[in-house]
Amino acid sequence: MKKNDYFPVEKNYRSSIVVANPNRAGHRAHLRSLGLLDEDFEKPFIGIANSWNEMHPGHVHLRQISEDVKKGILAAGGIPWEFNTIAICDGVTQGHIGMRYVLPSRDCIADSIELTAEAQQLDGMVYIGSCDKIVPAMLMALVRINVPSVMVTGGPMMPGFFKGKSVAIPDMREGVGRWVVGEYSDKEVLELECTVCPGPGSCAMGGTANTMSCVAEVLGVSLPGCGTSHAVESVKKRIAKRSGLEVVRLVKENIRPSDIVTFKSFENALILTSALGGSSNASIHIPAIASEMGFKVTLDDVERISSITPHITNLMPAGRHAFWDLERAGGIPAVVKELLSIMHKDEKNINGQTIAQIAAEATNRNADVIHSLDNPFHKQGSYAVLRGNMAPRGCIVKQTGVDPAMMTHTGPARVFDSEAEAESAIYDGQIKHGDVIIIRYEGPKGGPGMPEMLVVTAALVGVGLGKTTAIVTDGRFSGGSHGPCIGHVAPEAAAGGPIAYIKEGDRIKIDIPNRTVDILVDEEEMAKRKLEMPIKQREIKSQVLRRYVSLVGDVSEGATLTRFQTDTVK
């Protein structure tokens, strides 16, 4: 095209390909219809990926957070462009077919953001999300797209209040069990239902949502304090506005996630989640995020780090403190201050601070909530990775939530091929003290979608079996679960894993201190069963789930999709 200066655009950003030069007049015309002025075309274009929706307490307030982010972007000389992505509420999908769609949504969310950011050639990104799969999905997109970016998590919900103490959503699910056995009256269980979730935000405990929000902070892609600042706090608004200012600076200085996030950052994230007593789902999500960068984080890394990291907070559901207590005690910066001697101190965040500098500015305001390394709640961290003839590739238990009496246990297998069957058996009184409940065909391929078992774990606690009865499954558990709950058994039943060949009454031996889980059946008998017992296949009508089953990998590697896997390992 003939050179023409009727509208030169002077900018050295990615979005130049969209708006610069006369042959982009049609593109500019579209954007002028949205109110852009001549000078706006020379500014960086910042995408805001927002998972706001109306059926999700963790996301219902995110429009306001986005408005505050926009104020920061505009003040720093950028142009904000907000777009939406999906968000599914785990709390609404527990215990029914809807849960099968939740983990698959992680990859859909990451893909949808990549599609928009790359198609529009956005110069920078702000990710606004909350809750269990949305935060890890956004972190996957953030490192995959690798343009200057900031994550703003939506913040925890305030705790509810019932019978003189703080409560969170696991108390409600366990409360149903207490109502079944007559411990709660109709009036009491209704009161709990109406008070346990007092407003917007992610559930007020150390579940997956808040665990992964804190991971974002320690990876360095959220501002200090973001992970624990609550949805209703004004500090969340200030963090949002500051994040808008920061992302424009990052674009101007061309500082990308790959300049901040390293393998050591992921090790810091594992140290943090182990010390917090965080959700076992972190062992799926952290490897998946790392794989987007070509890093390989394995269950061996999870076990290695958890075994040397003291557990220094005692958060719900296994502990007594809500996330509000952690926020008032100083949040993640205060936790990092206590952990500094075992962390990689020189890792940086988006505002250029090192872990050591963040710790130096932090104050632990409540040593009862955040303990020191020499006075931990437990000597080891949250996770124990078990292996044995039931789980050759490994499985995981949140050991900080297990009663000491159940750290070793041998009992008869009670075998169920779905979560629903196990739940019915619990409420019907078929499960006894000492049983080992086996729930199989609930893995990524077998579920499909690897549903959470919170309904079953809550039922078990509610009817008084939570300290004497174990659960072992190739599915996964909600971050709201606690007790002797062993999940992520790999290989899963649908892939021919040994869990598929357990029979009713087989003796199961669990030894968490020695990191083993075994079926006490000899090899000859197991080989015979493999010939006699066919692998079950669920009928899958959903196009989305059929595609997911064809692509999803082993949970021991993060349940990543094959198209995302790379041969390059750092």
Side-chain angles (χ1 to χ4, degrees), residues 34-52:
L34 303 175
L36 261 61
L37 306 175
D38 288 354
E39 56 268 31
D40 291 335
F41 292 104
E42 299 178 2
K43 298 174 182 178
F45 286 4
I46 309 298
I48 301 174
N50 190 349
S51 54
W52 169 88

Side-chain angles (χ1 to χ4, degrees), residues 250-286:
L250 293 172
V251 170
K252 291 179 178 178
E253 297 178 12
N254 195 28
I255 299 174
R256 299 167 182 262
S258 58
D259 299 316
I260 297 167
V261 183
T262 69
F263 185 79
K264 289 181 179 179
S265 305
F266 288 107
E267 289 196 322
N268 281 344
L270 288 174
I271 291 168
L272 177 77
T273 56
S274 297
L276 286 178
S279 168
S280 59
N281 285 313
S283 69
I284 304 177
H285 298 314
I286 291 176

Side-chain angles (χ1 to χ4, degrees), residues 176-434:
V176 174
R178 292 189 170 95
W179 171 76
V180 167
V181 298
E183 186 176 333
Y184 285 171
S185 67
D186 292 357
K187 182 178 180 181
E188 286 173 321
V189 78
L190 179 60
E191 179 189 347
L192 178 58
E193 181 179 330
C194 295
T195 58
V196 72
C197 294
S202 51
C203 298
M205 42 106 188
T208 308
N210 292 327
T211 298
M212 295 308 299
S213 294
C214 295
V215 164
E217 192 174 325
V218 170
L219 288 178
V221 296
S222 289
L223 288 174
C226 187
T228 60
S229 57
H230 278 46
V232 296
E233 284 189 280
S234 62
V235 67
K236 180 64 76 178
K237 295 169 64 66
R238 296 194 294 273
I239 287 173
K241 185 174 182 180
R242 175 60 61 186
S243 296
L245 293 167
E246 286 294 318
V247 73
V248 176
R249 178 187 63 80
L250 293 172
V251 170
K252 291 179 178 178
E253 297 178 12
N254 195 28
I255 299 174
R256 299 167 182 262
S258 58
D259 299 316
I260 297 167
V261 183
T262 69
F263 185 79
K264 289 181 179 179
S265 305
F266 288 107
E267 289 196 322
N268 281 344
L270 288 174
I271 291 168
L272 177 77
T273 56
S274 297
L276 286 178
S279 168
S280 59
N281 285 313
S283 69
I284 304 177
H285 298 314
I286 291 176
I289 298 162
S291 72
E292 297 285 354
M293 301 185 73
F295 296 125
K296 192 172 182 65
V297 174
T298 68
L299 285 179
D300 288 335
D301 295 313
V302 175
E303 168 61 31
R304 170 176 58 85
I305 289 174
S306 185
S307 67
I308 61 172
T309 302
H311 174 223
I312 63 170
T313 68
N314 197 27
L315 299 170
M316 296 177 180
R320 67 182 187 275
H321 294 129
F323 240 69
W324 179 236
D325 299 310
L326 181 61
E327 164 72 350
R328 290 187 296 176
I332 297 309
V335 176
V336 167
K337 188 179 188 72
E338 300 296 343
L339 294 173
L340 188 62
S341 64
I342 61 173
M343 296 187 84
H344 299 292
K345 304 176 183 63
D346 296 329
E347 297 305 294
K348 293 184 177 180
N349 71 356
I350 50 176
N351 64 7
Q353 286 183 299
T354 65
I355 290 285
Q357 289 170 330
I358 293 169
E361 294 180 3
T363 301
N364 183 352
R365 304 188 191 97
N366 190 336
D368 182 50
V369 174
I370 305 172
H371 282 205
S372 62
L373 287 179
D374 58 5
N375 181 35
F377 289 99
H378 299 93
K379 292 181 179 180
Q380 294 186 338
S382 184
Y383 313 119
V385 176
L386 315 182
R387 287 186 169 89
N389 68 1
M390 185 189 291
R393 294 181 194 162
C395 56
I396 195 162
V397 62
K398 189 173 177 178
Q399 64 176 345
T400 50
V402 178
D403 188 271
M406 288 295 290
M407 293 295 281
T408 59
H409 177 73
T410 301
R414 305 299 311 280
V415 183
F416 303 96
D417 289 341
S418 72
E419 177 194 20
E421 293 173 12
E423 181 189 12
S424 295
I426 292 169
Y427 283 133
D428 289 346
Q430 298 176 26
I431 304 301
K432 308 301 180 185
H433 294 288

